[in-house]
Amino acid sequence: MGVPQAMAALRDKAALVRESLQKSQTITESMVSILGSFDHRLSSLETAMRPTQIRTHSIRRAHENIDKTLKAAEAILGRFDLTRKAEAKILRGPHEDLESYLEAIDQLRSNLQYFTTHKCFKSTSGIITHANNLLTKAISKLEDEFRNLLTNYSKVVEPDRLFDGLPDSLRPSATSPGKRNDSKKDSDNQKNSENAVYTPPTLIPPRVLPLLHNLAQQMVQAGHQQQLFRIYRDTRASVLEQSLRKLGVERLSKDDVQKMQWEVLEAKIGNWIHYMRIAVKLLFAGEKKICDQILAGIDSLRDQCYAEITANSVSVLLSFGEAIAKSKRSPEKLFVLLDMYEIMRELQSEIDYLFGTKSCTEMRESAQSLTKRLAQTAQETFGDFEEAVAKDATKTAVLDGTVHPLTSYVINYVKFLFDYKTTLEQLFQEFEESDTEAQLKTLTTRIMDALQTNLDGKSKQYKDPALTQLFLMNNMHYIVRSVRRSEAKDLLGDDWVQIHRRIVQQHANQYKRISWAKVLQCVTIQGAAPTGGGGILGGDSGSGISRAMVKDRFKNFNAQFEDLHMRQCQWNVPDSELRESLRLAVAEVLLPAYRSFHKRFGPMAESGKSPCKYIKYKPEDLERMLSEFFEGKTCVEQKR
């Protein structure tokens, strides 16, 4: 194909394209004309339909409003119905069904809130007023129900029930309250009592506690917190105080304490210790438990209630302790003061827990103050005792030279002190941080020194110097023996014991010298004087003793021995070992001398007239009579 042909073909195609474009243009113009016609018609239709659309929308809105109104009316009618039902339950009161009653109150509150937020009705204000009045009546009935429940189930706790909550070792059957045991304390029992389990009594049945809690919550929600406080405080405080009174607790002033005889006061102190343990471990602990449960979630009210319920009872108990601590000091009060101090120390952690809130600050501090006061008074009484021992001016002498009552009193006192060793160490630490054992040793040594000084003074009341020595020997021996058998030995030490044993021996030697020196001179050959020449009648001519001198010697011996026998049989050495030891010491000196003298010179006295007048005793008779010495017999008993 040549170029001309290609150009002809290209022209043909271009003509065809031009024709197609013209047709397309014609069609487009036709479509635009048709669409314009449609737009005009639609606009006319929309204008015609607008009134119908407006009416349809209005009808739809009306239907929606009618639905909303019906639903609102239905809700309001439902609220009215619920209010009516709640009112019926409230008017019946809470006795039949407390749980349903509480639900009715909650429903009434809900309805009240609903109408308060929907005040678009004319009758709303009336409804609100009626609901408020009804709620007030409901809460008033709740108060009555709370009061009745709490009163009916709050019973005075009988003493036997309280005793059942104590460990076995602390029950009255095991340890009689009010009477101190004068024997050594059982430290193991004391340790066990500190770790013992106490079982507080059930003050209110557990099944009632949730009801009381719900009632309390409703009263607080209604703003009746103070009414709740007064009801709870007055009811429980009264029951607690009555329980303590029934147990035996009484309010005693310092004057009441001062007027009591010691035996009565001592018993009351023993009871007080028992009551303190029961009150804190059982009653106060039980009271806190139910208070925490009934008033759970109302912390400020709960703490204040517990504080005011227990305040008077705590005051009554602590006031007795204060009265004792402030009363006139006397040595016998030291141990009861230590007992009281012990129980306060034992209960301190429990008291801190039970009265740990701000509302209970006064009671907690009062207990701490009493503990300090008892410690101070005990320490001062300790000092008074040392001074009293040193200055004891008892004029009544023990005529038989036995152990003086002051000695036994002081030694028993010191022995008791060691029963309280741990307590005393705690007491010393109340005032200063130092070696408490050294303090106790110093105090004990000073008391012993004061006793010895006083006994030395008392010994001078005896006219017979031999009895003076016997008295000092008896008392010093009693002191040494008592120390050796007690814990005081560990504190005072072996050196102290050995030194004072030597003192006992010194007094025994002094007694022998003073009592028996003259008697022994009568039967001692070396003491005989020469005859000055002839006239020796038999016997040992080398002795230089005349018959007259021999008779005189036997006569003097008899008189002096009989005098000693008569007097010293009335003297008393109460310790059997010491008594036998002293008799043996005398016999070891006297009997050999008398046997020798009797053997050598007896025949001289027997060869004359009335030999029985001079030789009244055989050595065996003297030995028998020596066994009667220091028995503390009266003259009447001797004659028998």
Side-chain angles (χ1 to χ4, degrees):
M1 179 181 297
V3 173
Q5 289 178 336
M7 289 296 292
L10 183 62
R11 280 195 294 272
D12 290 339
K13 288 180 180 179
L16 184 60
V17 169
R18 190 180 303 110
E19 184 179 353
S20 295
L21 285 173
Q22 287 175 351
K23 287 180 179 179
S24 176
Q25 179 67 31
T26 302
I27 291 169
T28 300
E29 289 174 355
S30 296
M31 286 299 297
V32 168
S33 176
I34 292 169
L35 287 173
S37 174
F38 273 119
D39 182 55
H40 176 72
R41 290 176 184 176
L42 285 173
S43 177
S44 299
L45 181 61
E46 184 180 355
T47 302
M49 288 294 293
R50 187 172 291 114
T52 303
Q53 289 175 343
I54 291 172
R55 287 195 298 272
T56 302
H57 181 69
S58 299
I59 291 169
R60 190 183 302 115
R61 289 281 303 272
H63 279 294
E64 289 175 357
N65 289 336
I66 289 170
D67 288 340
K68 288 181 180 179
T69 303
L70 288 173
K71 287 180 181 178
E74 185 179 352
I76 292 168
L77 290 173
R79 291 286 179 175
F80 274 115
D81 187 51
L82 291 173
T83 303
R84 180 181 57 78
K85 290 178 180 178
E87 181 175 7
K89 291 179 181 179
I90 288 168
L91 292 176
R92 282 197 301 270
H95 303 292
E96 296 180 6
D97 186 351
L98 178 58
E99 187 175 352
S100 177
Y101 187 85
L102 294 176
E103 288 176 357
I105 290 178
D106 287 337
Q107 185 61 61
L108 188 61
R109 282 204 182 97
S110 175
N111 291 347
L112 187 59
Q113 183 179 8
Y114 175 83
F115 286 117
T116 302
T117 55
H118 295 78
K119 294 184 178 180
C120 55
F121 306 104
K122 293 181 179 180
S123 59
T124 299
S125 59
I127 294 170
I128 292 173
T129 301
H130 178 71
N132 277 323
N133 291 337
L134 190 58
L135 189 58
T136 301
K137 289 180 182 178
I139 298 302
S140 178
K141 289 185 178 184
L142 271 188
E143 284 184 22
D144 294 338
E145 184 67 10
F146 183 83
R147 183 184 292 105
N148 291 336
L149 272 177
L150 191 63
T151 302
N152 291 338
Y153 287 102
S154 293
K155 303 296 182 184
V156 175
V157 185
E158 296 295 329
D160 287 345
R161 281 185 62 206
L162 292 171
F163 299 151
D164 288 343
L166 294 171
D168 291 341
S169 61
L170 294 174
R171 292 181 186 178
S173 57
T175 305
S176 178
K179 186 174 183 180
R180 289 183 67 249
N181 185 1
D182 288 336
S183 63
K184 189 181 185 301
K185 281 188 175 182
D186 188 339
S187 58
D188 291 336
N189 281 347
Q190 191 176 3
K191 289 177 183 176
N192 290 337
S193 71
E194 292 175 1
N195 300 321
V197 176
Y198 293 80
T199 309
T202 302
L203 301 181
I204 292 177
R207 63 183 176 80
V208 182
L209 294 173
L211 297 177
L212 289 170
H213 171 67
N214 290 337
L215 289 169
Q217 291 281 18
Q218 291 287 349
M219 291 173 68
V220 170
Q221 287 180 34
H224 289 226
Q225 187 161 318
Q226 287 307 308
Q227 292 90 324
L228 170 63
F229 170 73
R230 283 194 297 270
I231 294 169
Y232 192 87
R233 177 199 61 192
D234 295 347
T235 304
R236 290 306 309 166
S238 174
V239 171
L240 176 60
E241 290 163 21
Q242 290 179 64
S243 298
L244 286 172
R245 278 198 297 272
K246 203 154 192 178
L247 183 64
V249 175
E250 55 185 331
R251 185 182 287 276
L252 294 172
S253 65
K254 179 182 174 183
D255 291 338
D256 295 329
V257 167
Q258 292 287 63
K259 293 173 185 176
M260 286 182 191
Q261 293 184 350
W262 169 241
E263 292 76 12
V264 176
L265 183 58
E266 187 179 27
K268 286 192 177 293
I269 291 171
N271 284 334
W272 179 84
I273 291 168
H274 205 54
Y275 299 156
M276 278 297 297
R277 187 178 281 115
I278 288 174
V280 173
K281 297 277 191 179
L282 302 180
L283 284 173
F284 295 158
E287 205 64 57
K288 181 170 178 59
K289 184 177 179 181
I290 63 168
C291 192
D292 287 348
Q293 289 179 278
I294 294 173
L295 302 178
I298 321 170
D299 295 350
S300 60
L301 183 66
R302 178 196 62 200
D303 296 341
Q304 187 182 4
C305 270
Y306 180 74
E308 297 214 15
I309 287 165
T310 54
N312 190 56
S313 296
V314 171
S315 173
V316 170
L317 286 163
L318 297 185
S319 66
F320 178 79
E322 288 286 348
I324 296 296
K326 293 177 181 177
S327 63
K328 185 178 179 181
R329 297 194 302 270
S330 59
E332 65 270 15
K333 284 185 182 177
L334 176 60
F335 299 107
V336 295
L337 286 167
L338 291 175
D339 286 336
M340 294 171 75
Y341 175 73
E342 272 185 358
I343 191 62
M344 291 305 296
R345 288 275 305 191
E346 178 188 330
L347 298 175
Q348 192 62 59
S349 60
E350 193 87 6
I351 290 171
D352 289 344
Y353 164 71
L354 293 173
F355 302 101
T357 64
K358 186 177 180 181
S359 301
C360 297
T361 300
E362 184 176 348
M363 285 172 283
R364 187 173 65 253
E365 291 179 349
S366 294
Q368 293 168 353
S369 174
L370 175 59
T371 305
K372 285 279 188 183
R373 169 81 70 170
L374 288 168
Q376 182 180 358
T377 305
Q379 189 179 52
E380 291 169 353
T381 303
F382 209 151
D384 291 346
F385 178 68
E386 179 190 342
E387 185 178 350
V389 171
K391 295 182 178 179
D392 179 78
T394 306
K395 297 297 182 184
T396 305
V398 284
L399 300 178
D400 58 1
T402 189
V403 176
H404 197 279
L406 177 66
T407 303
S408 57
Y409 176 72
V410 171
I411 292 302
N412 286 334
Y413 202 92
V414 171
K415 286 164 70 177
F416 270 128
L417 285 178
F418 283 92
D419 293 340
Y420 290 88
K421 184 178 178 182
T422 302
T423 304
L424 286 167
E425 289 174 351
Q426 292 173 342
L427 187 147
F428 293 148
Q429 289 174 351
E430 292 276 358
F431 304 101
E432 58 178 306
E433 291 289 339
S434 61
D435 186 346
T436 54
E437 187 167 304
Q439 287 188 64
L440 186 57
K441 180 178 180 179
T442 300
L443 287 168
T444 305
T445 303
R446 279 163 41 185
I447 289 173
M448 292 297 194
D449 291 344
L451 175 60
Q452 288 177 241
T453 301
N454 192 288
L455 290 172
D456 287 339
K458 283 180 168 44
S459 71
K460 294 178 172 57
Q461 297 176 9
Y462 298 106
K463 295 179 180 179
D464 188 331
L467 185 56
T468 295
Q469 297 302 319
L470 192 80
F471 170 79
L472 291 172
M473 178 198 72
N474 275 331
N475 282 271
M476 191 55 62
H477 179 267
Y478 180 85
I479 292 170
V480 172
R481 185 191 63 179
S482 299
V483 168
R484 288 178 63 195
R485 295 179 179 178
S486 73
E487 293 181 48
K489 179 179 180 296
D490 296 331
L491 191 70
L492 296 175
D494 290 330
D495 289 345
W496 187 95
V497 172
Q498 293 304 320
I499 289 170
H500 288 79
R501 287 182 70 179
R502 287 196 290 272
I503 293 173
V504 173
Q505 189 58 51
Q506 289 169 8
H507 289 307
N509 293 338
Q510 285 289 84
Y511 156 78
K512 287 188 296 181
R513 184 184 62 77
I514 295 169
S515 278
W516 297 97
K518 291 183 179 180
V519 178
L520 286 170
Q521 285 179 2
C522 295
V523 292
T524 300
I525 298 172
Q526 287 79 358
T531 61
I536 298 177
L537 303 175
D540 186 354
S541 60
S543 65
I545 299 178
S546 66
R547 180 181 295 162
M549 187 179 295
V550 168
K551 289 181 177 179
D552 188 54
R553 290 282 190 92
F554 274 112
K555 184 178 179 181
N556 287 337
F557 176 86
N558 294 337
Q560 290 184 37
F561 183 80
E562 287 169 356
D563 178 61
L564 287 176
H565 179 266
M566 181 187 69
R567 286 186 291 112
Q568 296 195 21
C569 282
Q570 298 177 57
W571 294 1
N572 190 6
V573 178
D575 184 82
S576 58
E577 291 184 9
L578 181 62
R579 183 169 60 246
E580 289 303 319
S581 174
L582 193 60
R583 287 171 180 168
L584 182 61
V586 173
E588 286 176 346
V589 176
L590 179 65
L591 294 180
Y594 185 78
R595 283 193 185 98
S596 178
F597 191 84
H598 184 274
K599 182 177 180 180
R600 294 183 64 183
F601 301 108
M604 294 176 64
E606 290 173 347
S607 63
K609 296 178 181 180
S610 305
C612 293
K613 179 179 178 181
Y614 303 103
I615 305 180
K616 297 175 67 173
Y617 304 107
K618 296 178 181 179
E620 296 77 21
D621 296 328
L622 295 182
E623 188 173 6
R624 175 184 57 77
M625 294 174 74
L626 280 175
S627 68
E628 297 174 349
F629 276 52
F630 319 126
E631 290 286 350
K633 295 180 179 178
T634 63
C635 293
V636 175
E637 289 174 324
Q638 289 188 62
K639 289 177 182 178
R640 289 177 182 171

